[in-house]
Amino acid sequence: MNTDATTGAGEARAEQDREALVLERIERVRRRPARVREDRVTLAHGAGGKATHTLVEAVFLEEFRNPLLEPLEDGAVFDGLALTTDAFVVTPLFFPGGDIGDLAVNGTVNDLAMCGARPRYLSAAFVVEEGFPVADLRRVTASMAAAARAAGVWIVTGDTKVVQRGKADGCYITTAGVGTMDRPVRLSAAAARPGDAVIVSGPIGEHGVTVMIARGELDIQADLASDTAPLNGLTERLLAACGDGRVRCLRDATRGGVATVVNEIAGASGVAVVLDEDAIPVRPAVRGACELLGLDPLYVACEGRMVAVVDGEAADAALAALRSDPLGSGAAVIGRIADDPPGLVLLRTSFGGTRIVDLLVGDPLPRIC
Amino acid sequence: MNTDATTGAGEARAEQDREALVLERIERVRRRPARVREDRVTLAHGAGGKATHTLVEAVFLEEFRNPLLEPLEDGAVFDGLALTTDAFVVTPLFFPGGDIGDLAVNGTVNDLAMCGARPRYLSAAFVVEEGFPVADLRRVTASMAAAARAAGVWIVTGDTKVVQRGKADGCYITTAGVGTMDRPVRLSAAAARPGDAVIVSGPIGEHGVTVMIARGELDIQADLASDTAPLNGLTERLLAACGDGRVRCLRDATRGGVATVVNEIAGASGVAVVLDEDAIPVRPAVRGACELLGLDPLYVACEGRMVAVVDGEAADAALAALRSDPLGSGAAVIGRIADDPPGLVLLRTSFGGTRIVDLLVGDPLPRIC
């Protein structure tokens, strides 16, 4: 280690120059209109990171553009209602702590909850491969029914398509959901303000790592289970505890993990998110598995955890509300919103340094939801 | 041919006996609770016929049972809203007259229209195979956008998942839709009454036959195009023209065709549907292709045609309303509701005979939607 003060200052300057260069480069990229450079869809386009954002903006938003779609939130809010949808292609279909069925119900329930809505009615569409065991389909539907009961929603309409052997991987499920906006909230990734607190509702990364290990392709044994859970009870408590307008934004940290969520917030709000690495709850088993897999837990999907941005003065009330629910018992303030540098996420590391946390490039964990 | 009158009477009796036996057997089967006999899902489970009904009743309804799902209509109606969903796995993705994109929008728009709702907001979830051309995705989304504009709906939320090469057949799309119940109607397959007229909005079978031929596996050339179209304008006209309560049921004749729709109505209403073969509009090209393919047009999917059951006294007004719209210019009364035999569909053939039109067994046309 270099302990010479003068050299240290020089290194700090060089580091600042490098950082300025990086920021400038990032700014240049950000100003460009989204454009898909690839001729063909890659797994990265489904990973929730950079490639997904580009695809969504350059293709879907470009074609479908309307004022409800444009904010690209977890769901669309109109006429006192919220509507959302998610497709589920997780492999394996069954894993410790859950399966594609409860994942599909909880995923849509959570997207509605993140809009501030009370989840009410779900639709479920199945694409099933010829030869799929009927017993597995029963197991999946039983799991969906249990998840729906737990979340207090009804599955009211559906569809089933069967494709030939080899044309789907067992079964894919798409759920959509309607919720009612019982509270006068307008949550948005664009609503974060300097001074706000960034809270996570519990330890991160459990779902992604569990599914990865459940594939059995890796010689790793770990006592892990998916965190899949309905978060509508938790959002209800949080919104009730904080009062109108003090919860700025809620996002469940699914594909791309917490890192992706906070990047979206930083970008949409034009603020900096400054995270404190030591404050981010990660269970030892998840940390260990991530080290073996070469993954950063910040990018690993949860299916029962959310990021909440709340008024800094409401942070204690928010934490207390979350912790009063078993699903939020591990809630923690993991960072703050700052005004500079806008659009970026900075992580103060355990070693006292700071690094930029960018959107995910590529897909280290395909098909975890 | 036997022309002896006595023998003819004997044959008629024998025919009656056979028919009584068949009816008794059908009744026995109908009384049994639905049970899936197969261990594995087959293509027939996705065909919209008998196997689909059994799967839906024995697995999905059994697990998800609630008062909104139970009627098994095209969508669920609650709180002045309708919600519906459909998965689309058509192959090929592009065919004369349409593609998976407009099919996915029109399919959900039509299911909402069949509930008597005004289609408003759609969600769209994509499962895309790695390697799928981005240009094709653009083509599909452009087609969805055009279909949405034509139907007067917005696509307000979505999701994209990418699966590895070989794990999907290009791209699958699931749409869900929310409509508003602007009229005080309560349409239901259980609402048909003896004396009602059965109307079809135009010539049948075009979509299914077009897609089948577009696969290029058959050495058939035919000047055919899919009938995919939004039917909400047509249902609007019909409901306005007939007045409250005189339209009993609307169903778009998709998978399983008109035969399946009228069987569902006969079963749910406990009535007989008596169709007149000569009155059923089928374009010559469709009839010719069906003959070559060994298909009965009554079972072939349409994606822009509906069956309407209306009060017999409103039949003329209904026909006039449908025919005033280009999409309904070929509308025709194709049959009547009778009280006996309950639950069955009878077809008076062009040759003067009568045959039972049952639900589809097997799947002669897999993946046409």
Side-chain angles (χ1 to χ4, degrees):
Chain A
M1 293 289 284
N2 190 322
T3 51
D4 182 291
T6 318
T7 316
E11 281 196 351
R13 263 198 309 278
E15 174 61 28
Q16 278 171 12
D17 288 350
R18 268 197 302 275
E19 197 163 302
L21 195 71
V22 168
L23 289 184
E24 193 200 304
R25 221 176 279 157
I26 289 171
E27 207 33 56
R28 216 160 49 214
V29 171
R30 277 185 204 279
R31 276 194 303 264
R32 272 186 225 149
R35 198 167 76 83
V36 179
R37 291 164 172 279
E38 300 84 2
D39 287 338
R40 292 180 178 273
V41 172
T42 67
L43 285 174
H45 287 115
K50 265 198 167 65
T52 305
H53 280 243
T54 307
L55 186 73
V56 167
E57 284 174 24
V59 179
F60 298 114
L61 184 57
E62 193 58 33
E63 288 293 349
F64 302 156
R65 194 177 299 275
N66 61 65
L68 295 181
L69 175 64
E70 195 137 12
L72 297 175
E73 301 281 351
D74 280 347
V77 175
F78 50 85
D79 307 346
L81 300 171
L83 174 67
T84 185
T85 191
D86 263 332
F88 294 86
V89 299
V90 65
T91 178
L93 296 173
F94 304 95
F95 45 81
D99 58 52
I100 191 171
D102 48 21
L103 207 60
V105 170
N106 290 336
T108 284
V109 162
N110 292 348
D111 280 350
L112 291 171
M114 297 307 124
C115 297
R118 180 157 74 96
R120 301 289 302 277
Y121 302 109
L122 263 55
S123 67
F126 297 78
V127 174
V128 185
E129 187 179 6
E130 187 186 7
F132 188 66
V134 172
D136 284 358
L137 194 59
R138 279 188 202 283
R139 207 175 142 194
V140 167
T141 50
S143 163
M144 292 178 80
R149 278 190 297 273
V153 298
W154 282 358
I155 298 167
V156 295
T157 189
D159 187 38
T160 312
K161 294 283 152 63
V162 180
V163 295
Q164 297 93 339
R165 219 172 281 267
K167 299 294 184 191
D169 205 356
C171 129
Y172 302 144
I173 302 177
T174 299
T175 46
V178 171
T180 46
M181 299 297 292
D182 297 353
R183 292 178 177 282
V185 293
R186 190 75 202 199
L187 307 171
S188 166
R193 302 176 204 170
D196 287 351
V198 180
I199 297 176
V200 73
S201 66
I204 65 171
E206 281 156 46
H207 175 76
V209 167
T210 301
V211 170
M212 202 66 193
I213 292 177
R215 287 186 197 154
E217 294 159 4
L218 308 156
D219 195 20
I220 301 178
Q221 299 285 332
D223 188 21
L224 281 168
S226 166
D227 49 47
T228 180
L231 294 174
N232 49 331
L234 214 52
T235 56
E236 195 49 46
R237 275 171 202 259
L238 182 66
L239 292 168
C242 287
D244 287 356
R246 302 180 86 184
V247 179
R248 320 287 199 206
C249 171
L250 299 174
R251 284 284 175 109
D252 53 342
T254 57
R255 276 183 299 179
V258 168
T260 300
V261 166
V262 290
N263 261 285
E264 287 170 355
I265 294 167
S269 295
V271 296
V273 176
V274 185
L275 300 179
D276 176 3
E277 187 170 33
D278 288 336
I280 299 168
V282 185
R283 292 218 166 107
V286 171
R287 193 178 296 285
C290 278
E291 274 169 21
L292 286 168
L293 293 165
L295 296 171
D296 180 342
L298 263 182
Y299 290 94
V300 178
C302 319
E303 290 289 343
R305 307 289 180 223
M306 65 177 178
V307 172
V309 178
V310 305
D311 185 329
E313 290 179 9
D316 289 342
L319 262 191
L322 292 173
R323 287 179 178 164
S324 69
D325 186 305
L327 286 173
S329 61
V333 173
I334 61 167
R336 294 272 160 187
I337 303 294
D339 49 15
D340 195 60
L344 285 192
V345 177
L346 303 177
L347 180 76
R348 302 216 185 282
T349 67
S350 309
F351 305 108
T354 299
R355 67 175 174 89
I356 293 175
V357 176
D358 206 347
L359 279 174
L360 199 62
V361 177
D363 189 0
L365 288 174
R367 297 184 57 194
I368 45 79
C369 62
Chain B
M1 293 288 285
N2 190 321
T3 52
D4 181 290
T6 317
T7 315
E11 281 196 350
R13 265 198 309 279
E15 174 60 28
Q16 277 172 11
D17 288 350
R18 268 198 301 277
E19 197 163 301
L21 195 73
V22 168
L23 290 182
E24 192 200 305
R25 222 177 276 156
I26 290 171
E27 206 34 56
R28 217 162 48 217
V29 171
R30 279 185 203 277
R31 277 195 303 264
R32 272 186 223 148
R35 198 166 76 81
V36 179
R37 291 163 172 279
E38 300 84 2
D39 287 338
R40 292 180 178 273
V41 172
T42 67
L43 286 174
H45 287 115
K50 265 199 168 63
T52 305
H53 280 243
T54 306
L55 186 75
V56 167
E57 285 175 22
V59 179
F60 298 114
L61 184 58
E62 193 59 32
E63 288 294 348
F64 302 156
R65 193 176 299 275
N66 62 63
L68 294 182
L69 175 64
E70 196 138 12
L72 298 175
E73 301 281 351
D74 281 347
V77 175
F78 50 85
D79 308 346
L81 300 171
L83 174 67
T84 187
T85 191
D86 264 332
F88 294 85
V89 299
V90 66
T91 177
L93 297 172
F94 304 95
F95 44 81
D99 58 51
I100 191 171
D102 48 22
L103 207 60
V105 169
N106 289 336
T108 284
V109 162
N110 291 349
D111 280 351
L112 291 172
M114 297 307 125
C115 297
R118 181 156 73 96
R120 301 287 303 276
Y121 302 108
L122 263 55
S123 66
F126 297 78
V127 174
V128 185
E129 187 179 7
E130 187 185 7
F132 187 66
V134 172
D136 284 357
L137 194 59
R138 277 187 203 283
R139 207 176 141 194
V140 167
T141 49
S143 163
M144 292 178 79
R149 277 191 298 273
V153 298
W154 281 358
I155 298 168
V156 295
T157 189
D159 187 38
T160 313
K161 294 284 153 63
V162 180
V163 295
Q164 297 93 339
R165 219 171 280 268
K167 300 294 185 190
D169 205 356
C171 129
Y172 302 144
I173 303 177
T174 298
T175 46
V178 171
T180 45
M181 299 296 292
D182 297 355
R183 293 178 177 280
V185 292
R186 190 75 201 199
L187 306 171
S188 167
R193 302 177 206 171
D196 287 351
V198 181
I199 297 176
V200 71
S201 66
I204 65 172
E206 281 156 47
H207 175 75
V209 166
T210 301
V211 170
M212 204 64 193
I213 292 177
R215 286 187 197 153
E217 295 160 3
L218 308 157
D219 195 19
I220 302 179
Q221 300 285 332
D223 188 21
L224 281 167
S226 167
D227 50 46
T228 180
L231 294 174
N232 50 331
L234 214 51
T235 56
E236 195 50 45
R237 277 171 201 258
L238 181 67
L239 292 168
C242 288
D244 287 356
R246 301 181 87 185
V247 179
R248 321 287 197 204
C249 171
L250 299 174
R251 284 285 176 108
D252 53 341
T254 57
R255 274 185 301 179
V258 168
T260 300
V261 166
V262 289
N263 261 283
E264 287 170 356
I265 293 167
S269 295
V271 296
V273 176
V274 185
L275 300 179
D276 175 4
E277 188 170 32
D278 288 336
I280 300 168
V282 185
R283 291 218 166 107
V286 171
R287 194 178 296 284
C290 278
E291 274 168 21
L292 287 167
L293 293 165
L295 296 171
D296 181 342
L298 263 182
Y299 290 94
V300 177
C302 319
E303 291 289 342
R305 306 289 181 222
M306 65 176 177
V307 171
V309 178
V310 305
D311 185 328
E313 291 180 9
D316 290 342
L319 262 191
L322 292 173
R323 287 179 177 164
S324 70
D325 187 304
L327 286 172
S329 60
V333 173
I334 60 167
R336 294 271 159 188
I337 303 294
D339 49 15
D340 195 62
L344 286 192
V345 177
L346 303 178
L347 180 76
R348 302 215 184 284
T349 67
S350 307
F351 305 108
T354 298
R355 66 175 175 89
I356 292 175
V357 176
D358 206 347
L359 281 173
L360 200 62
V361 177
D363 190 0
L365 288 175
R367 297 183 57 194
I368 44 79
C369 63

